Structure formats: C-alpha cells, structure tokens
Amino acid sequence: MANYTTVHEKSPVFYPEYERKSEARGQTHYCPGCGHGIAHKLLAQAIDDLGIQDRTILVSPVGCSVFAYYYFDTGNIQAAHGRAPAVASAVKRARPGSIVISYQGDGDLAAIGSAEILHAANRGENITVLFVNNAIYGMTGGQMAPTTLLGHKSTTTPFGRNAVNDGYPLRVAETLSVLDGPVYIERVALGNAKQILQAGRAVRRALENQVKGLGFSLVEILSPCPTIWKLDAHQAQQHVREGLSSVFKPGVYCDRTKEAVPRPEPKPGPALTGIPRILGIELNEGASAAPVAAASVDLRIRIAGFGGQGVLMLGQVLAEAGMDAGLDVSWLPSYGPEMRSGTSNCHVRISSRPVDSPLVTRPAVLLALNEPSLRKFISSVEPGGLVMYNGREVPGDCRRPDVDLLARPFTEIADELGEPRAGNIVMLGALLRRIEGIPDASVDRALARVVKTQRWLEIDRKAIARGREVCHVS
Amino acid sequence: MKPGAGRGLVEINVEECKGCGLCTDACIPKVLRLSASLNRYGYHPVEYEGRGCSGCGLCFVVCPEPGALRVLKLAA
C-alpha cells in the first residue's frame, strides 16, 4: 500500500465522530441520497482549502440541517427559524475577524425567514449564505414550500401546487440579485458529479469573498430530497437536473466581486463606561451610589387622559424623579396607535423595595386628565387613595366617599401661564404637595432630563410651582 | 486490496454507507456495486469489485456521507 496515496477522504473540518449518536457515530442523520451531506462536504472542503476552520462560525437553521453543529468542528450557533442571516449579521459585526456562514434550507430562508435574508442581502452584510433548496419542507414531512414547483403534490397541495391558489415557485437567487447590496449570487445544483464540482467552486468563491471582506455572497444549491419526493437517490438526482433546474436555472445572477472594494472593518463599539454620556444621561458622580430613600415609599400611580395631554410624559418625569431619589421605579405606557386624541394611560410604580410588577391595577393615586379617564379608572382606586381630576368638579356619579378627591381645572391654569399643554405638569406640582418621598431636587433634575428644550423647561418649572399653589389654596 | 489492481483504490466504510447508490452511477469504469449483504442499519453498502479503479474520485464527489469513502491513487 505504500505506493498509494490518499486523494479524497473525510475532511478534517468534520468531527471524527458525531457525539449526538450512540452508535455508528461516523454517520450523519441524513437520509440516503440527501443533498445536505454533499453540501456539507463542499462547505467543509472550502473551509479547509481556505485555511479558515479555526475562525469559522457556522449558523445552522431550523430544518433537516438543524444539527449541522454536530458535524462541523467550527464555531457553531443554531438560530431560531429563519433568523440565521440576522444572527450571522450580528456575529459578523461583533467579531469582524470571524468567517460567518448562514446555512439554510428553503422553508427556513424563503418562507419564515424571507425578511431576514432580504435585509441581510440588502445591507450587503459581509457573510456567506448557503441556501439549500429542495423545493419542499423535508423535516416536517413534505409540506409545500415557497419554492415547490407548480403541479407538485405535497401534503398541503394534495392536488398539486396551483399558481392561482398557492402562488409561484419563489426564485430566490433572481429576487436577491436585483438588490444593490450583494456581491455574489450563484445558483448551482447537485444533480451529478459535474454539477457538484461546479457547486464546490461556487461555495469556495462565496467564502473567499468574505475572507477578502467584499460583502454578501449567497449560493443557492438545488438539492435532492429522495425521501419526501418519494424517489430513489438516482431518480432524485435526475429530478434536480431536469425538474428543479428547468424552473430554477443554475448560473451566476450577481457578480460584483471585481469592482467591490473590501468593506472597512467596523469600528469597535464604545466602552461600557462611555454609554451614559452617549445617551445624554449625566450620572451624578458623587451620588453614583444612589441615595438611600429615607422613608418607606410605595407609590402606585395610574395616569390617564387622551393622547397629547402629556400623560406618558408626566409618568416619565415621576419615574425619573423616583429613580433620581434612589428608589426602584417602573413606567409602563399603554396607548393606541394615534399620536393625538386617542386614549392614553400609564402605570407608574415608585418604591423603596424592588418593583415586583409594573402593572398598577389597584392604584393608590389616579391622575385623570379628562372625564372619560376618570369614569374608566375611578372604581379601580383603592380605598383611602388619592384622585386628581382635571376639571372644576368631579361629576356627581363619579364621587367616592372612601377616596381623597381633588378637582382643579389644570389645563385652564396652565393656559393662564401661557401654555395650556403644560396642564399635566401643573397637576404634577399639585401631586407633589400630596405625596411623600420624592425630593423637589429630584423632580427638577428629572424634568431637565425629560424636557429637551430650555423654553419648555422654564414653562414646566413655572407650572410645577403653580400646581403647588393651587393645591395649597384648597 | 492488492496494490497493482488499478491506478486507484476505493476504501469503503461499510457501516457509514447508506447504500444510496449515487457512487455506482458516477463511477466511470463501473467498478462499484451495491453489496448483496446488509450492514447493521439494513442498507446494502457499496463494494468495490477489486480492480479497475482509476482513482478519479467522482464516487467521493457525489457521496453524501462525509466519511463513507476514501479514494487513493497510485503514486506517480
């Protein structure tokens, strides 16, 4: 045997044994004649040829190839169904030196993951995608995929795929190639040895592009699925050559590798300590260990009104002030799609203990900025609670003897200050007279954080002061 | 396998072969065939007739199993 040398053998990119199995641990879980094994071998070969095994991260999909990580001795991540290109994008950006490959089937890439692949391609992410298209859902037992050929009988198209009902086979390579982002898109097939050799060249190019930093490359691989197609391996290969290839024509659909310039490596992200400054949050250095609240505080506040009254903003200022005072807070907004005049309310909790739930279903304080909100929430206020209402008086049928009711025309008072939209802050000023635990200085700093313009900050400071007065006069 | 029986040689891992037969289609000198016997998984694994292999490697190219086949060639 000494004069024979090995020319083809199992790639070192595969594990010698696959730990998933209890016996025959050198064998994949794929069916006899399945294209995945061949695609795996092409990928392993390309990784080995380029010498990138120790910096490759393979993102496996949901589908028959979900277990790719049992076979490839590379870095591995298994993504949620269809999300492999998004995961691969993030991995590549976080680790620009890694070679990141998204390996996906047609159910994964072209159906549930159609958005992810479209946008990863459009961003021109510097990743490599292997798209194994066998025109059917294999793992789940043969449902129609977006790529299923017209007339093909699947479990969900028992009379054959019909364009009127089920649409047309989705041509992924063609579709993505109209985008400006991708650098290289080729469709290949696994229909015979010649086609497989061509597929190997395409896979290698797609990886090489990433090594050079050129950008997004995708290889669509038409692949046999003998089990679900109910053909033997030989017939399935023939169907790849004659059936699939006639609808999904092999060829290069996009090639900008010549003019593409290597993408600059992304700059490293900011240090964690620099993030507060970027977000415009000024940490009070001396007080970085948050001040310990003096007394026991547990404010459960519901604020409600119509959109545009500053309902959410009022809650935000309260929560920010509580946080500034070293308390635990939560702020949970709830509103419709309208920016103005829809209903709007928020839940605020400010507590000297950790907040268990951000929901305030039994408020101790209700701030009702209009009558419908008062009607809606008055019955939820706990006995002994406080209700503030934006109106001259509480309607008779809304009165409750067991709660503290304060009615003031806060919007009109704000109007006298020159800005009716500050009614919410007048109400805040009034509220601060009635609750304990939030220092004035914290409220002022919270306002400065939430309010973005100097003009409004001045208006709001006046509004708070006025609110305190109107509450006091009562 | 006796050296000299061909320019090439195929080694078959009988327990990893699933008997799909793609290599028998691809083999140009037609020296591969499915065995009459079964392996432990109940597949008829491929076997080499013992002579005539050219070492072209097409059987390896079409084989879906990473480690079922190994192809050797007579050193020049």
Side-chain angles (χ1 to χ4, degrees):
Chain A
M1 290 291 280
N3 49 352
Y4 278 94
T5 52
T6 300
V7 284
H8 295 286
E9 66 179 337
K10 184 174 179 176
S11 166
V13 174
F14 291 113
Y15 289 113
E17 289 201 322
Y18 312 133
E19 66 168 63
R20 178 171 168 268
K21 300 181 73 181
S22 53
E23 53 172 21
R25 289 158 63 112
Q27 199 184 51
T28 66
H29 70 287
Y30 297 118
C31 306
C34 172
H36 275 303
I38 300 171
H40 281 22
K41 284 171 71 183
L42 298 177
L43 178 57
Q45 181 74 50
I47 290 171
D48 195 28
D49 287 352
L50 294 169
I52 54 173
Q53 181 178 4
D54 60 353
R55 59 185 180 117
T56 291
I57 298 173
L58 181 65
V59 183
S60 30
V62 169
C64 287
S65 50
V66 64
F67 290 137
Y69 54 87
Y70 278 109
Y71 306 131
F72 286 90
D73 185 5
T74 58
N76 284 284
I77 296 174
Q78 195 276 314
H81 205 355
R83 282 23 172 181
V87 173
S89 299
V91 172
K92 183 67 183 185
R93 289 181 180 206
R95 301 181 56 95
S98 295
I99 301 301
V100 186
I101 301 157
S102 175
Y103 186 108
Q104 303 178 260
D106 48 309
D108 190 79
L109 182 142
I112 193 168
S114 52
E116 276 73 13
I117 191 61
L118 187 71
H119 293 289
N122 195 43
R123 293 191 304 269
E125 293 289 344
N126 190 20
I127 60 172
T128 303
V129 181
L130 296 195
F131 167 40
V132 178
N133 178 5
N134 58 17
I136 199 78
Y137 278 86
M139 187 186 76
T140 50
Q143 295 78 10
M144 186 196 87
T147 43
T148 296
L149 302 190
L150 290 178
H152 182 88
K153 287 180 182 166
S154 70
T155 61
T156 46
T157 54
F159 307 109
R161 182 176 189 168
N162 169 358
V164 175
N165 210 42
D166 315 315
Y168 294 88
L170 188 64
R171 294 188 174 98
V172 170
E174 288 88 334
T175 303
L176 296 181
S177 66
V178 302
L179 301 172
D180 294 324
V183 156
Y184 171 65
I185 296 176
E186 179 166 354
R187 183 186 287 124
V188 295
L190 305 180
N192 56 26
K194 189 181 168 193
Q195 287 191 328
I196 292 168
L197 289 168
Q198 174 56 30
R201 287 189 284 272
V203 170
R204 192 191 149 114
R205 270 195 78 189
L207 269 184
E208 224 169 2
N209 291 340
Q210 186 180 165
V211 172
K212 291 178 184 163
L214 298 184
F216 184 90
S217 300
L218 179 142
V219 181
E220 177 174 341
I221 303 171
L222 303 178
S223 176
C225 180
T227 300
I228 301 292
W229 292 352
K230 299 185 174 66
L231 300 173
D232 65 29
H234 172 84
Q235 294 165 327
Q237 258 199 348
Q238 190 181 353
H239 181 59
V240 168
R241 288 196 306 274
E242 293 164 13
L244 287 192
S245 299
S246 66
V247 175
F248 302 111
K249 299 238 177 345
V252 176
Y253 284 89
C254 162
D255 188 355
R256 300 191 181 97
T257 50
K258 289 218 167 56
E259 59 267 30
V261 285
R263 295 155 62 95
E265 283 210 357
K267 289 185 198 129
L272 203 57
T273 49
I275 288 175
R277 189 179 45 78
I278 293 166
L279 294 176
I281 303 168
E282 287 190 28
L283 291 179
N284 188 343
E285 286 300 326
S288 64
V292 179
S296 167
V297 178
D298 183 20
L299 288 167
R300 283 164 288 114
I301 307 171
R302 194 74 179 261
I303 309 169
F306 62 76
Q309 283 189 306
V311 169
L312 305 186
M313 186 266 196
L314 173 49
Q316 238 178 329
V317 174
L318 273 169
E320 282 277 350
M323 194 154 59
D324 186 276
L327 297 161
D328 281 37
V329 304
S330 66
W331 171 75
L332 182 71
S334 167
Y335 49 90
E338 312 91 336
M339 290 301 287
R340 295 288 181 271
S341 81
T343 61
S344 170
N345 75 81
C346 67
H347 311 235
V348 176
R349 288 199 61 180
I350 303 174
S351 176
S352 47
R353 305 187 56 196
V355 173
D356 48 8
S357 165
L359 279 177
V360 179
T361 46
R362 291 285 283 162
V365 176
L366 170 65
L367 306 182
L369 280 102
N370 63 8
E371 192 181 319
S373 300
L374 179 71
R375 289 189 182 283
K376 185 169 177 189
F377 292 109
I378 182 86
S379 61
S380 70
V381 178
E382 68 177 13
L386 169 67
V387 176
M388 288 193 172
Y389 172 56
N390 181 23
R392 291 191 178 278
E393 61 178 324
V394 173
D397 57 336
C398 287
R399 295 210 174 122
R400 264 180 62 180
D402 59 338
V403 298
D404 185 6
L405 280 164
L406 179 77
R408 293 283 185 280
F410 294 104
T411 302
E412 287 169 36
I413 296 166
D415 194 32
E416 289 162 17
L417 293 173
E419 183 47 87
R421 284 178 290 172
N424 59 337
I425 304 297
V426 178
M427 197 177 226
L428 172 64
L431 175 68
L432 292 170
R433 290 293 302 215
R434 294 293 188 98
I435 57 173
E436 307 260 318
I438 304 179
D440 293 351
S442 290
V443 176
D444 197 62
R445 279 196 292 270
L447 258 186
R449 239 172 261 151
V450 173
V451 178
K452 296 298 179 200
T453 69
Q454 194 59 34
R455 187 183 87 86
W456 267 103
L457 190 56
E458 280 161 22
I459 292 168
D460 285 341
R461 281 178 173 146
K462 272 189 233 163
I464 285 201
R466 186 80 184 102
R468 289 174 185 282
E469 288 166 19
V470 296
C471 189
H472 185 58
V473 172
S474 76
Chain B
M1 191 51 49
K2 287 191 285 293
R7 278 182 292 147
L9 197 58
V10 194
E11 284 180 4
I12 295 150
N13 185 330
V14 173
E15 294 308 330
E16 291 189 19
C17 175
K18 291 169 178 163
C20 71
L22 291 181
C23 56
T24 63
D25 290 344
C27 179
I28 292 168
K30 296 293 169 207
V31 292
L32 294 174
R33 64 179 174 220
L34 294 184
S35 165
S37 58
L38 297 173
N39 66 11
R40 69 194 292 187
Y41 276 104
Y43 296 125
H44 291 285
V46 70
E47 62 184 16
Y48 175 39
E49 290 183 1
R51 55 179 58 248
C53 172
S54 66
C56 72
L58 289 183
C59 55
F60 182 87
V61 169
V62 298
C63 177
E65 275 303 310
L69 299 178
R70 188 165 98 136
V71 180
L72 301 96
K73 216 167 177 176
L74 204 54

